[in-house]
């Protein structure tokens, strides 16, 4: 099993390039199932979630050509089955998008109950409610979801909860339905807008993505024959922003949309870091111990839950007492025990982390409990004195392309290793 080994503290300095957004890519790929044609997608992050998604599409009959590590051409003219591979779909959260897309394309699909990071109960009742309102019958049995519709007809769907996944999924099922679908109380995340832009580029008629109400007018078919570039990853960019501030570094983070990063920038500025915005880059620097604040995770444009572990890791090194309230997921503080082993002073009460800032972390052997928590532990390792070893890094590789390589490029002492011998070699090299 591969691990990351890090020695710190090292200020990050230099320039880093952000990839396309994971959460947009893994929705856009299933969305290609709605196209009876060929299209090209670039700025795709080369991460394991994208690879799993491509394998699921290939098993359904899609032909994928990798033009470069970040660009594919995908031919979805010949979809041969309505049974998605159960082993892959049940390991992978975003496999739920195959349901919306295949309902639109074939009127039927069977997938495994979606897996993904364990952040507590993650029901998909809002997705199912939407499909049913458009005329589908959905059954969940023995870890499988079966959805079928003789005909999908546009309808009004009100989301009881603001859900990124359900908003995108209902949009997918409505693109080829007859008539108009409206989604009220829709999620407004940048990747919701990106999926709508992708579908519109391919011939769909979707308006209002990025607002509370999305209106989808069904079209006969999507034509393909176009190239689409995935939006830059808000969370990868945010992770590097926090890493730059936490290490008292100075990093220019390129290929970003600064507007998507506002909630993060505002908090970093509030606690004393410097954030400069350019057209498609942000520069984050800090040269002193940062201050405390209160943060509550909220749907976009609020502070993203996917940045909660990273910012908490920084606040745990700042002055005074901070609080971080998690309002989206019920179990997103699993990294706290690991950070505590590195010296943090954090108490979790219900959905609030009460953080008393300490002056330093010390390196330790820790486990990445999920994707973003894993990224937070990498930030802790960069700041900690001594050696940190992070196990279970496959979580991190689900969402960050060449994370260790990018960090080395801005001065971090970090390496991916596969056994204890290599850890010892790293320790000898850096000592
Ligand atoms: C997506 C992202 C994830 C991010 C999250 C919130 C993907 C693959 N994952 O997850 O990285 O952390 O958005 O920005 O894009 N809920 C229900 N019923 C539903 C759907 C959701 O109760 O049918 C609840 C969830 O349990 C959660 C909240 O709604 O408490 C928001 O979840 P949602 O926005 O759907 O998150 P995901 O799409 O799973």
């Amino acid at each position: 099993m591969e691990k990351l080994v890090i020695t710190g503290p090292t200020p990050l300095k230099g320039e880093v390039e952000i990839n396309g957004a994971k959460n947009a890519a893994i929705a856009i790929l299933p969305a290609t199932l709605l196209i009876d044609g060929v299209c090209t997608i670039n700025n795709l992050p080369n991460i394991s979630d994208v690879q799993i998604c491509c394998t699921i599409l290939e098993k359904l009959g899609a032909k994928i050509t990798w033009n470069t590590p970040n660009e594919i051409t995908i031919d979805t003219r010949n979809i041969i089955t309505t049974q998605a591979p159960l082993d892959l779909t049940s390991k992978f959260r975003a496999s739920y998008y195959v349901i919306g897309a295949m309902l639109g394309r074939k009127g039927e699909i069977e997938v495994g109950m979606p897996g993904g990071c364990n952040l507590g109960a993650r029901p998909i009742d809002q997705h199912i409610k939407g499909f049913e309102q458009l005329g589908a019958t959905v059954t969940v049995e023995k870890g499988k979801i079966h959805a079928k519709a003789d005909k999908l007809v546009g309808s009004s769907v009100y989301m009881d909860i603001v859900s990124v996944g359900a908003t995108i999924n209902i949009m997918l099922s409505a693109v080829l339905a007859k008539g108009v679908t409206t989604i009220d109380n829709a999620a407004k995340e940048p990747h919701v807008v990106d999926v709508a832009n992708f579908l519109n580029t391919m011939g769909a008629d979707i308006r209002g993505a990025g607002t509370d109400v999305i209106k989808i007018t069904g079209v006969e078919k999507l034509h393909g024959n176009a190239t689409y570039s995935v939006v830059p990853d808000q969370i990868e960019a945010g992770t590097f922003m926090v890493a730059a501030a936490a290490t008292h570094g100075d990093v220019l983070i390129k290929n970003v949309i600064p507007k998507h990063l506002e909630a993060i920038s505002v908090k970093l500025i509030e606690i004393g870091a410097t954030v400069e915005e350019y057209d498609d880059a942000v520069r984050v620097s800090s040269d002193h111990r940062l201050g405390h604040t209160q943060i509550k995770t909220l749907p976009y444009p609020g502070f993203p839950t996917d940045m909660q572990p990273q910012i908490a890791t920084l606040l745990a090194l700042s002055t005074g007492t901070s609080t971080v309230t998690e309002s989206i997921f019920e179990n997103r503080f699993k990294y706290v025990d690991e950070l505590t082993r590195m010296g943090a002073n954090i108490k979790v009460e219900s959905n609030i982390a009460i953080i008393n800032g300490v002056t330093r972390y010390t390196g330790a052997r820790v486990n990445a409990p999920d994707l973003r928590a894993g990224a937070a532990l990498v930030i802790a390792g960069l700041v900690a004195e001594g050696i940190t070893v992070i196990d279970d890094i496959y979580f991190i590789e689900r969402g960050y392309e060449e994370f260790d390589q990018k960090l080395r490029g801005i001065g971090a002492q970090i390496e991916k290793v596969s056994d204890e011998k290599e850890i010892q070699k790293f320790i000898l090299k850096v000592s």
Side-chain angles (χ1 to χ4, degrees), residues 22-24 26-27 49 92-97 119-129 159 161-168 187 189 191 234-235 298-300 304-307 326-330 332 371-372 398:
K22 164 180 115 47
N23 286 347
I26 59 181
D49 265 12
F92 177 52
R93 181 82 193 149
S95 58
Y96 50 42
Y97 293 134
L119 311 175
R122 295 178 79 178
I124 58 162
D125 56 307
Q126 299 300 309
H127 303 235
I128 294 174
K129 179 177 112 170
M159 302 261 149
I161 281 181
V162 179
S163 160
V164 173
T167 301
I168 293 176
E189 267 68 2
H191 42 291
Q234 173 204 23
I235 305 300
L298 287 169
Y300 188 82
T305 173
D306 285 358
M307 283 300 301
E326 173 56 54
S327 74
I328 310 286
F329 291 111
E330 61 181 27
R332 204 159 198 178
L371 165 58
R372 305 303 170 184
R398 284 191 36 223

Side-chain angles (χ1 to χ4, degrees), residues 5-334:
V5 54
I6 310 169
T7 184
T10 317
L12 299 179
K13 292 208 163 137
E15 297 184 1
V16 68
E17 190 89 27
I18 296 306
N19 285 99
K22 164 180 115 47
N23 286 347
I26 59 181
I28 286 171
L29 287 167
T32 62
L33 290 166
L34 288 162
I35 302 167
D36 193 4
V38 182
C39 68
T40 295
I41 303 166
N42 61 38
N43 204 31
L44 260 186
N46 195 344
I47 50 177
S48 62
D49 265 12
V50 161
Q51 280 145 12
I52 296 175
C53 198
C54 285
T55 309
I56 293 171
L57 296 180
E58 282 172 331
K59 301 248 176 199
L60 290 168
K63 293 211 161 42
I64 296 177
T65 311
W66 286 88
N67 306 324
T68 72
N70 301 101
E71 180 182 291
I72 61 167
T73 295
I74 179 159
D75 177 350
T76 41
R77 282 175 296 188
N78 193 23
I79 297 305
I80 50 172
T81 174
T82 56
Q83 297 211 317
L86 294 180
D87 54 337
L88 290 179
T89 47
S90 49
K91 267 196 229 142
F92 177 52
R93 181 82 193 149
S95 58
Y96 50 42
Y97 293 134
V98 172
I99 309 173
M102 283 292 280
L103 271 177
R105 176 69 185 268
K106 290 279 186 190
E108 185 168 10
I109 183 68
E110 185 176 270
V111 300
M113 195 65 187
C117 282
N118 178 7
L119 311 175
R122 295 178 79 178
I124 58 162
D125 56 307
Q126 299 300 309
H127 303 235
I128 294 174
K129 179 177 112 170
F131 299 145
E132 288 176 341
Q133 275 183 253
L134 269 75
T137 306
V138 183
T139 50
V140 183
E141 236 174 34
K142 297 182 186 158
K144 289 188 271 190
I145 303 173
H146 180 248
K148 190 167 170 34
D150 293 333
K151 190 176 171 195
L152 290 168
V153 180
S155 180
S156 296
V157 182
Y158 180 84
M159 302 261 149
D160 301 323
I161 281 181
V162 179
S163 160
V164 173
T167 301
I168 293 176
N169 225 346
I170 295 162
M171 205 158 77
L172 293 174
S173 66
V175 162
L176 299 177
K178 195 158 179 49
V180 176
T181 299
T182 52
I183 307 175
D184 270 280
N185 200 24
K188 297 181 276 207
E189 267 68 2
H191 42 291
V192 174
V193 179
D194 205 41
V195 178
N197 287 343
F198 167 76
L199 290 164
N200 284 342
T201 305
M202 302 298 154
D205 183 353
I206 303 172
R207 291 165 202 214
T211 74
D212 295 345
V213 184
I214 302 180
K215 182 176 161 195
I216 305 124
T217 304
V219 296
E220 282 287 310
K221 66 179 275 183
L222 298 189
H223 51 64
N225 281 333
T227 296
Y228 190 80
S229 190
V230 177
V231 71
D233 198 314
Q234 173 204 23
I235 305 300
E236 188 196 11
T239 302
F240 277 98
M241 291 170 77
V242 170
T247 59
H248 297 167
D250 182 351
V251 181
L252 183 68
I253 300 155
K254 294 173 19 177
N255 185 33
V256 302
I257 299 177
K259 173 114 194 80
H260 295 167
L261 304 171
E262 256 169 23
I264 304 158
S265 302
V266 162
K267 281 295 165 189
L268 288 177
I269 292 166
E270 186 189 319
I271 60 174
T274 304
V275 180
E276 293 162 45
E277 287 185 2
Y278 302 94
D279 285 349
D280 60 356
V282 288
R283 179 173 175 182
V284 178
S285 59
S286 111
D287 58 8
H288 58 282
R289 192 170 173 219
L290 297 171
H292 55 276
T293 187
Q294 272 77 50
I295 288 181
K296 183 174 184 180
T297 62
L298 287 169
Y300 188 82
F303 193 89
T305 173
D306 285 358
M307 283 300 301
Q308 185 259 98
Q310 302 90 313
I311 198 85
T313 300
L314 166 57
L315 292 175
L317 281 174
S318 302
T319 58
T321 302
S322 298
T323 59
V324 173
T325 305
E326 173 56 54
S327 74
I328 310 286
F329 291 111
E330 61 181 27
N331 190 8
R332 204 159 198 178
F333 288 122
K334 282 187 293 182

